[in-house]
Amino acid sequence: MKGQQGFIGTSHQAHSEHHASWLAAAWHTIRRWEQLAYEREQLARMSDEMLKDIGLSRGDVMEESERHFWEDPLKK
């Protein structure tokens, strides 16, 4: 019976770790979405001269700012 109790405890621990891992991944995703929204907002506020300095046009910025918050250009 001792072995069974340890098995149940281990199973519960694995479930808890999986749950914690899932929550961490969800939190990371939400933070990334916030970061994308912030960066797109900052790009939209830049002057045409500033955009030219970084090699972007107003059209590039408009296209990027119209994307949905969950559209991450770094995720393929």
Side-chain angles (χ1 to χ4, degrees):
M1 294 290 179
K2 243 184 186 181
Q4 287 180 340
Q5 191 175 24
F7 178 75
I8 292 170
T10 302
S11 176
H12 178 70
Q13 182 181 4
H15 178 71
S16 294
E17 289 173 3
H18 174 73
H19 184 69
S21 174
W22 181 85
L23 284 174
W27 177 253
H28 176 75
T29 298
I30 291 168
R31 294 291 299 147
R32 177 66 179 147
W33 289 343
E34 288 177 334
Q35 179 184 15
L36 285 170
Y38 175 79
E39 290 173 1
R40 288 173 178 153
E41 181 182 320
Q42 293 301 308
L43 273 174
R45 291 178 181 213
M46 294 175 86
S47 69
D48 290 339
E49 292 81 23
M50 293 170 78
L51 293 173
K52 184 179 177 184
D53 285 345
I54 61 172
L56 295 175
S57 69
R58 181 63 54 194
D60 295 332
V61 172
M62 288 179 63
E63 184 178 325
E64 184 64 28
S65 64
E66 291 174 356
R67 296 175 83 165
H68 298 286
F69 67 89
W70 62 82
E71 293 182 74
D72 189 342
L74 298 179
K75 291 218 175 172
K76 308 290 185 221

